[in-house]
Amino acid sequence: MQQIFNFIFKNSILILFLLLLGISLTLTIQSHSYHRSQAVTSANAISGYVYQQVNNVNEYLSLKEQNEALAGENARLKKLLFNTQDTANRPPVDLPDAIGNFAVIQSKVIRNSYGVHENYFTINSGRNQGLKPDMGVVTSLGVAGIIENTSGNYATVISILNLKFRLDAKIKKNNHFGTLTWNGKNTGFAQLIDVPRLATVNKGDTIVTGAESRIFPENIPIGTIEKVYVDKKTNYYTLDIRLFNDMTSLGHVYIIENKDRDEIIKLEDETTKTNEQ
């Protein structure tokens, strides 16, 4: 203990300087949005690199599970392929254009939190790979989250298991809409709120993304209905949704970019301004 006091006494000037420097940097970052954004970007880059190294070790130790997951996904794709009619010798058919203009970027989760109320996961792709905030993130099973921040080669994603998460979703069989949220209680379930009482809902019904989402294509899987409640305050249904994804064990993910998103937002903003005049 005496040695510690002696060390502090001998280096008191240096310690005081570092303390004041830290306080000044903190105040500068908090009072200037530019400095704050640069600090967040730098922190993402540094933490992303550390998470990548840790993930490399964990990945090596879990090669068997990863191979089994990939084999399962290949099996599902082959099932679709084998059950699709061969159209090579059929005459061409004119089909309507697909709804939306989406690009897909592959990435991988290198860190994942799921034990708090505001959970995020980190992926090893960033601005250099074309990622931007508000892009959707999915797995082979369905929706996983939405990108919040990016650095050069990494990005943080707001998980479905986050009290701030919001997504337009619908009951697949009848197209009745609600808002997907999480109540912070169970990592295997999310909630679809504000579903109208006239909707027919049953346990096991599939929940998918809705057409109103600017982030995800329509009909991306989310989960199935487990329980149905009536919110006494709003008189709407609240549905417990069993998620298709195991959000505590995420590996390979796919980032979805809606290339028409900015155009849609601009048009809607202009329409709102015109109606307000």
Side-chain angles (χ1 to χ4, degrees):
M1 183 63 70
Q2 184 64 37
Q3 292 179 348
I4 296 176
F5 286 131
N6 290 337
F7 175 81
I8 295 175
F9 180 74
K10 290 180 180 179
N11 298 277
S12 58
I13 296 177
L14 177 61
I15 294 173
L16 178 60
F17 169 75
L18 294 175
L19 178 62
L20 294 176
L21 178 63
I23 294 174
S24 63
L25 289 175
T26 301
L27 293 175
T28 300
I29 292 172
Q30 290 180 346
S31 59
H32 296 83
S33 58
Y34 173 78
H35 293 89
R36 185 165 57 251
S37 65
Q38 291 300 308
V40 170
T41 299
S42 299
N44 279 344
I46 294 172
S47 60
Y49 175 79
V50 174
Y51 298 149
Q52 177 73 72
Q53 303 311 309
V54 173
N55 181 76
N56 288 340
V57 177
N58 291 334
E59 183 183 47
Y60 178 78
L61 297 175
S62 61
L63 285 177
K64 181 178 179 181
E65 290 79 6
Q66 291 289 339
N67 288 334
E68 289 177 352
L70 290 174
E73 184 172 352
N74 286 335
R76 288 190 293 273
L77 293 174
K78 287 181 181 295
K79 181 179 179 180
L80 290 174
L81 177 64
F82 295 156
N83 285 280
T84 300
Q85 286 186 334
D86 184 2
T87 59
N89 297 319
R90 294 174 58 186
V93 179
D94 291 329
L95 297 175
D97 293 335
I99 300 174
N101 182 15
F102 297 94
V104 178
I105 303 168
Q106 185 178 355
S107 188
K108 191 168 69 170
V109 176
I110 59 174
R111 182 179 182 273
N112 183 21
S113 72
Y114 46 81
V116 294
H117 283 166
E118 295 184 1
N119 293 293
Y120 295 84
F121 56 90
T122 304
I123 57 178
N124 63 352
S125 302
R127 287 194 304 270
N128 294 338
Q129 291 74 39
L131 272 59
K132 296 182 290 186
D134 294 329
M135 285 184 176
V137 181
V138 302
T139 72
S140 59
L141 298 178
V143 174
I146 299 172
I147 291 179
E148 184 164 270
N149 289 312
T150 61
S151 62
N153 295 299
Y154 302 96
T156 52
V157 182
I158 182 171
S159 168
I160 285 183
L161 306 182
N162 190 311
L163 295 181
K164 297 179 181 178
F165 185 87
R166 294 289 186 277
L167 177 65
D168 290 326
K170 67 177 183 178
I171 304 170
K172 185 177 182 179
K173 70 177 185 181
N174 56 31
N175 289 325
H176 278 103
F177 284 84
T179 301
L180 188 73
T181 64
W182 185 56
N183 61 13
K185 294 181 180 180
N186 192 316
T187 58
F189 295 86
Q191 286 66 47
L192 190 67
I193 62 173
D194 297 334
V195 178
R197 290 284 298 278
L198 57 86
T200 302
V201 294
N202 295 292
K203 181 178 179 179
D205 288 347
T206 300
I207 305 300
V208 296
T209 55
E212 295 184 5
S213 175
R214 300 167 177 168
I215 297 175
F216 293 95
E218 188 178 8
N219 294 321
I220 298 294
I222 297 173
T224 58
I225 297 176
E226 182 71 17
K227 293 183 180 179
V228 181
Y229 307 92
V230 176
D231 190 320
K232 295 181 180 180
K233 294 181 180 179
T234 64
N235 205 33
Y236 283 80
Y237 284 135
T238 292
L239 312 178
D240 267 353
I241 309 302
R242 181 183 293 274
L243 299 173
F244 288 135
N245 273 319
D246 178 358
M247 295 301 297
T248 68
S249 179
L250 296 176
H252 293 278
V253 294
Y254 305 92
I255 296 86
I256 299 176
E257 177 188 8
N258 183 354
K259 293 186 175 183
D260 294 335
R261 182 173 184 272
D262 292 341
E263 181 180 349
I264 294 171
I265 292 175
K266 181 180 179 181
L267 176 63
E268 292 177 347
D269 288 344
E270 290 175 351
T271 302
T272 300
K273 292 178 181 179
T274 301
N275 292 333
E276 291 176 349
Q277 291 177 355

